[in-house]
């Protein structure tokens, strides 16, 4: 509402504030203990090890797949539709301009509270359970909004404000479901499952996929909404169904699991053991056989 075209300039330039905090904070960011230990040893060798991108090896195939799919699913939930177009959407379904802007604020407050809840309960309930519960919550929300828009809004109709506020409530439920599950865990899970030698590569993949899908969703949503209308929410709900099934069948629990035991998780998983288990078992058998031969040929003490 600021005249002279300064409104959008001020809102965009305010992004420099958190950017400044990140930049200044990076100066005081301490090194990791593992890096300090490696630095006191052979620094060049450790540096070369960390710079290698071994994530394409077969034994790291589960980590690569999860590092690709988790951020992809994060974006096709439709969360950025709410982040980008919430005021426009709420104004379209019958809320006034001021109410639409305030509705966007309400959804972000719900997300903030849900993020705090996630920090409190994630180590108690586990990553997998939160992802499943959040997925079901988002499925119900997306399908319910799609059904309300299909019945009450039609293609070119007008929705009563009462139903507009009902959509707002459901969207808050959706945002909360995302914010205590797929929102923070998209960054946490790939970090936990990747060993040190591929962690930087795995996290780079996660961020790259998020940025790519954010761009794709931002560029295509309005066209989807014009052509699919209320079906857009059923489309996003369908993707949430797919990602929830993916977690149920393919993502093991990593709660309070030491990094040294992460390799055993893939070898015991019903699906991933077919990819990583055989090669690792052969190595173990070779070591076991070598150990048996060494013991049989060693001189026996009296």
């Amino acid at each position: 509402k600021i005249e002279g075209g300064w409104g959008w300039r001020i809102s965009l330039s305010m992004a420099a504030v958190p950017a400044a905090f990140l930049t200044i904070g990076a100066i005081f960011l301490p090194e990791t203990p593992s890096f300090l230990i490696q630095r006191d040893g052979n620094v060049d060798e450790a540096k070369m090890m960390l710079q290698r991108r071994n994530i394409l090896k077969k034994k790291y195939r589960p980590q690569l797949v999860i590092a690709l799919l988790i951020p992809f699913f994060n974006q096709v939930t439709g969360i950025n539709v709410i982040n980008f177009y919430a005021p426009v959407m709420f104004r379209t379904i019958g809320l006034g301009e001021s109410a639409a802007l305030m509705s966007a604020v309400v959804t972000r407050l719900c997300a903030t509270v849900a993020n705090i809840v996630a920090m409190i309960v994630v180590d108690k309930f586990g990553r997998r359970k939160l992802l499943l519960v959040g997925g079901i919550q988002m499925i119900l929300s997306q399908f319910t909004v799609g059904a309300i828009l299909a019945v009450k809004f039609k293609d070119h109709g007008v929705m009563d404000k009462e139903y507009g506020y009902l959509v707002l409530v459901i969207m808050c439920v959706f945002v909360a479901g995302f914010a205590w599950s797929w929102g923070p865990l998209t960054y946490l899970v790939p970090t936990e499952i990747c060993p040190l030698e591929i962690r930087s590569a795995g996290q780079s993949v996660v961020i790259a996929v998020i940025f790519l899908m954010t761009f794709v969703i931002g560029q295509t949503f309005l066209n989807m909404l014009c052509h699919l209308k209320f079906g857009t929410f059923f489309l996003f709900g369908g993707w949430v169904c797919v990602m929830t099934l993916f977690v149920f069948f393919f993502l093991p629990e990593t709660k309070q699991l030491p990094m040294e035991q992460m390799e055993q998780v893939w070898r015991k998983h019903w699906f991933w053991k077919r990819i990583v288990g055989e090669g690792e078992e052969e190595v173990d058998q070779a070591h076991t056989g070598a150990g048996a031969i060494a013991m049989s040929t060693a001189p026996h003490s009296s």
Side-chain angles (χ1 to χ4, degrees), residues 55-215:
I55 197 169
L56 297 179
K57 290 184 176 181
K58 184 178 180 181
K59 66 177 182 178
Y60 299 130
R61 197 64 47 81
Q63 290 91 333
L64 176 61
V65 172
I66 292 174
L68 287 169
L69 290 183
I70 290 291
F72 172 81
F73 288 142
N74 173 289
Q75 292 300 299
V76 295
T77 58
I79 187 61
N80 273 335
V81 171
I82 307 300
N83 294 338
F84 295 161
Y85 302 112
V88 177
M89 185 179 68
F90 289 131
R91 187 173 57 191
T92 302
I93 62 178
L95 302 181
E97 182 175 355
S98 297
L101 291 173
M102 187 56 63
S103 300
V105 174
V106 171
T107 58
R108 299 320 305 159
L109 287 176
C110 290
T112 302
V113 173
N115 279 142
I116 297 174
V117 172
M119 289 188 289
I120 296 173
V121 304
V122 66
D123 286 326
K124 179 178 180 181
F125 295 106
R127 291 84 168 109
R128 192 169 179 269
K129 186 176 293 185
L130 283 183
L131 290 172
L132 292 174
V133 172
I136 295 172
Q137 190 172 337
M138 288 188 288
I139 291 171
L140 297 176
S141 301
Q142 291 282 30
F143 286 164
T144 303
V145 170
I148 293 175
L149 295 181
V151 174
K152 295 296 180 180
F153 195 70
K154 304 296 183 182
D155 289 339
H156 304 286
V158 178
M159 180 181 292
D160 296 334
K161 284 188 177 181
E162 291 77 11
Y163 286 100
Y165 286 116
L166 177 60
V167 171
L168 171 60
V169 172
I170 299 173
M171 282 291 97
C172 288
V173 175
F174 167 82
V175 169
F178 176 87
W180 64 42
S181 60
W182 285 85
L185 295 183
T186 294
Y187 301 93
L188 176 62
V189 172
T191 302
E192 288 186 334
I193 66 173
C194 289
L196 181 62
E197 60 269 25
I198 65 167
R199 179 168 296 171
S200 57
Q203 199 66 6
S204 299
V205 170
V206 170
I207 301 302
V209 173
I210 286 180
F211 282 163
L212 175 62
M213 292 307 301
T214 300
F215 171 77

